[in-house]
């Protein structure tokens, strides 16, 4: 291969060197219970996570809009505020999405998107570089870590990587021949970095990936120099062998994923292009567990909206980006459904930080703290985690602004690692001990994304949002559970679908808890 052809091909592929069980013996193998458990267990071993990074710090307050406090919202950012009549209401109508996100609204209405309000972490950092590192490593803001949270998960689950045979301890040490993680792009992310190397390969598209590695040889040779130089050469050869093997698997899956009629995706949309590749590989049978995608442009210090005010605020750079994310995810979900694999994939969006509640004089927003996340997939049990941030509309709630004048940040409601916790335990099936190890020997409360009930996470008042796993009081359509050791006091009428009480419920005189039933 000529040097210029090699350089062109390598733009599509880089392997960076560094930068609780239940016994069922009493039941027959063909019993409905055992068959159901086996199917559930098989599905858990085959699950996929898609991570979408919104690079630059997304303005959450123009993404998920508090319609219940529109006057206060408009006061904070009158030069960029979305007109109230244009906002797309979701849920109970107190919350809305940016008008460019029609696809995500429909997915939310269909139970396939969850909005997680005001996500951040304690003692937030305003630096793009450091804040991104915190999100990708899952570390505290004052802790420097060399590995990514997803990399640690993959390293824990897949033994011997990268030395064949790579085995999956969740599948009784079955051999894993496919890449553990794939990033669509030029370099692998810190998110998937293991203790010695990346746990992922980076591809721009499967065809050019195969062009690069297809002609290589995965053989080894004893003619290695001694010492450190020999170790480095051996490492590079090992990566080459992996790349060649992965090329065959990726190409086979990409070919098998070519279906008719072809799924429809929006054009001129980079995140949709990436999601299209993921859906085709998943549908083609690739066993890769984690895909990392990204879209840039969210650092909107100026010109966030189109000049002119009014409905022009619906347009501009930020609107275009949100529209692409929404349309891409919507097409992706339709594609997965068409392929019959929708139940095995879940994904989420994240950005390194939010932006300030108040706009600046350049029709933009500066670096802030908390912002919403979107979690998407057909397996979600919760469509709303947390509540609209209190930006002045509720005198009975603590303010979620860090001041009343000048630059004002939105405070955190949900630690982002609680989302990781649910993904590790309830999606990928890790034990709490394993999840604690992956998250740097820290445990976190669930947000009940994948469970049938909202549960208590501490003793407290029924109407205190901090009592409940989902960061808000249970809806009338939700099941609630009071966990063992927790005492909940009910001082005003409430309604839930069903209640499991393993702790204590103290109901004040004259107060009623209604259980609506199924």
């Amino acid at each position: 291969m000529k040097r210029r052809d090699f350089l062109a091909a390598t733009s599509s592929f880089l392997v960076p060197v560094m930068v609780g069980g239940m016994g069922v013996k009493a039941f027959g193998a063909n019993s409905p219970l055992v068959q159901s458990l086996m199917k559930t267990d098989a599905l858990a071993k085959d699950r996929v996570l898609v991570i979408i990074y919104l690079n630059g710090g997304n303005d959450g307050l123009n993404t998920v809009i508090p319609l219940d406090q529109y006057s206060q919202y408009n006061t904070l950012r009158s030069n960029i505020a979305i007109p109230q009549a244009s906002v797309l209401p979701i849920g109970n109508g107190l919350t809305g999405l940016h008008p460019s996100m029609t696809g995500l609204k429909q997915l939310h209405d269909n139970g396939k998107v969850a909005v997680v309000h005001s996500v951040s972490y304690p003692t937030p950092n305003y630096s793009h570089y450091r804040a991104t590192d915190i999100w990708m490593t899952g570390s505290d803001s004052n802790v420097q870590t060399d590995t990514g949270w997803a990399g640690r998960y993959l390293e824990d689950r897949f033994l011997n990587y990268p030395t064949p045979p790579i085995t999956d301890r969740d599948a009784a040490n079955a051999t894993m021949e496919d890449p553990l993680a794939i990033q669509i792009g030029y370099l692998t992310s810190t998110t998937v970095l293991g203790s010695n190397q990346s746990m992922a390969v980076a591809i721009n598209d499967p065809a050019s990936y195969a062009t690069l590695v297809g002609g290589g040889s995965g053989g080894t040779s004893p003619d290695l120099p001694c010492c450190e130089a020999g170790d480095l050469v051996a490492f590079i050869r090992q990566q080459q062998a992996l790349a060649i093997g992965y090329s065959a698997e990726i190409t086979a899956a990409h070919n098998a994923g070519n279906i008719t009629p072809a799924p429809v995706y929006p054009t001129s949309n980079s995140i949709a292009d990436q999601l299209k590749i993921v859906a085709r590989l998943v549908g083609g049978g690739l066993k890769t567990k984690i895909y990392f995608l990204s879209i840039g442009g969210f650092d909107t210090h100026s010109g966030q909206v189109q000049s002119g005010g009014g409905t022009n605020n619906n347009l501009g750079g930020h609107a275009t980006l949100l529209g692409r994310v929404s349309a891409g995810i919507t097409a992706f979900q339709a594609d997965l459904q068409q392929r019959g694999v929708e139940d095995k994939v879940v994904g989420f969006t994240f950005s390194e930080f939010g932006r300030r509640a108040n706009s600046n004089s350049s029709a933009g927003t500066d670096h802030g703290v908390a912002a919403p996340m979107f979690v998407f997939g057909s397996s979600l049990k919760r469509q709303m985690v947390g509540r609209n941030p209190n930006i002045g509309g509720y005198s009975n709630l603590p303010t979620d602004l860090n001041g009343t004048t000048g630059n004002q940040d939105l405070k955190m409601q949900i630690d982002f690692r609680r989302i990781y916790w649910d993904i590790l335990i309830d999606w990928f099936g890790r034990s709490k001990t394993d999840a604690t190890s992956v998250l740097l020997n820290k445990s976190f409360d669930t947000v009940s994304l994948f469970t049938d009930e909202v549960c208590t996470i501490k003793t407290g008042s029924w109407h205190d949002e901090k009592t409940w796993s989902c960061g808000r009081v249970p809806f009338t359509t939700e099941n609630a559970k009071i966990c063992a050791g927790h005492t909940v006091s009910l001082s005003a009428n409430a309604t839930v679908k069903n209640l499991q009480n393993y702790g204590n419920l103290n109901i004040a005189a004259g107060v009623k808890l209604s259980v609506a039933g199924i």
Side-chain angles (χ1 to χ4, degrees), residues 19-31:
V19 165
M22 176 189 296
V24 292
K25 292 181 180 179
F27 299 91
N30 295 321
S31 73

Side-chain angles (χ1 to χ4, degrees), residues 194-482:
S195 57
N196 295 309
Q197 63 191 69
S198 177
M199 308 298 289
V201 297
I203 66 172
N204 199 35
D205 65 82
S208 51
Y209 172 88
T211 299
L212 171 66
V213 301
S217 170
T220 59
S221 171
D223 59 336
L224 295 177
C226 81
C227 312
E228 185 177 0
D231 292 341
L232 289 172
V233 172
F235 177 83
I236 292 170
R237 287 179 176 175
Q238 185 180 61
Q239 302 312 297
Q240 182 190 35
L242 280 172
I244 294 167
Y246 289 156
S247 175
E249 300 298 330
I250 291 172
T251 300
H254 191 253
N255 291 339
N258 186 21
I259 60 174
T260 303
V264 178
Y265 280 81
T267 58
S268 302
N269 183 330
S270 65
I271 199 65
D273 293 342
Q274 296 172 61
L275 287 164
K276 183 178 181 179
I277 293 172
V278 174
R280 184 163 171 173
L281 292 177
V282 173
L286 200 70
K287 299 182 182 66
T288 295
K289 299 307 172 191
I290 295 175
Y291 293 86
F292 188 96
L293 321 178
S294 64
I295 176 173
F298 287 88
D299 196 16
T300 53
H301 286 282
S302 63
Q304 181 171 319
V305 299
Q306 185 169 292
S307 62
T311 55
N312 283 340
N313 286 356
N314 297 349
L315 307 173
H318 190 234
T320 299
L321 291 171
L322 293 179
R324 287 172 179 166
V325 171
S326 174
I329 293 174
T330 303
F332 179 66
Q333 285 297 137
D335 188 351
L336 295 177
Q337 185 177 28
Q338 179 181 342
R339 296 174 184 275
V341 294
E342 191 178 21
D343 59 349
K344 66 185 289 185
V345 182
V346 74
F348 69 82
T349 67
F350 82 96
S351 198
E352 62 262 43
F353 42 62
R355 308 191 81 82
R356 286 192 163 128
N358 57 294
S359 57
N360 59 34
S361 59
S362 300
T365 46
D366 298 324
H367 297 184
V369 176
M373 289 175 63
F374 295 109
V375 186
F376 54 93
S378 62
S379 299
L380 295 172
K381 300 298 179 66
R382 211 70 50 226
Q383 274 63 63
M384 197 74 69
V385 175
R387 51 158 176 78
N388 289 342
N390 180 22
I391 56 175
Y394 294 96
S395 59
N396 61 324
L397 290 176
T399 179
D400 287 312
L401 296 174
N402 68 349
T404 57
T405 59
N407 290 325
Q408 299 175 67
D409 286 326
L410 290 171
K411 298 177 183 177
M412 176 189 77
Q413 289 183 50
I414 305 294
D415 191 310
F416 73 93
R417 291 165 293 187
R418 294 177 65 183
I419 312 301
Y420 295 176
W421 182 261
D422 276 14
I423 288 170
L424 289 169
I425 293 175
D426 295 327
W427 184 247
F428 279 134
R430 311 294 336 134
S431 69
K432 289 186 178 181
T433 300
D434 288 342
T436 299
S437 175
V438 167
L439 293 175
L440 301 173
N441 296 317
K442 299 193 76 170
S443 62
F444 294 88
D445 293 318
T446 178
V447 291
S448 298
L449 278 172
F450 304 104
T451 55
D452 287 324
E453 69 280 323
V454 173
C455 62
T456 57
I457 56 175
K458 71 180 189 69
T459 291
S461 166
W462 182 287
H463 293 281
D464 180 357
E465 63 202 29
K466 293 182 174 60
T467 300
W468 300 98
S469 57
C470 61
R472 55 167 173 77
V473 178
F475 292 153
T476 59
T477 56
E478 292 178 315
N479 300 318
K481 180 171 75 173
I482 300 175

Side-chain angles (χ1 to χ4, degrees), residues 182-201:
I182 288 177
Q183 174 159 344
I184 311 295
Y186 296 109
L187 289 170
T188 54
S189 160
T190 302
T191 301
V192 289
L193 188 63
S195 57
N196 295 309
Q197 63 191 69
S198 177
M199 308 298 289
V201 297

Side-chain angles (χ1 to χ4, degrees), residues 163-182:
T163 304
I166 301 162
T167 57
D168 180 357
R169 72 181 179 99
D170 282 3
N173 293 325
T175 301
M176 176 61 162
E177 297 178 348
D178 297 347
L180 307 185
I182 288 177

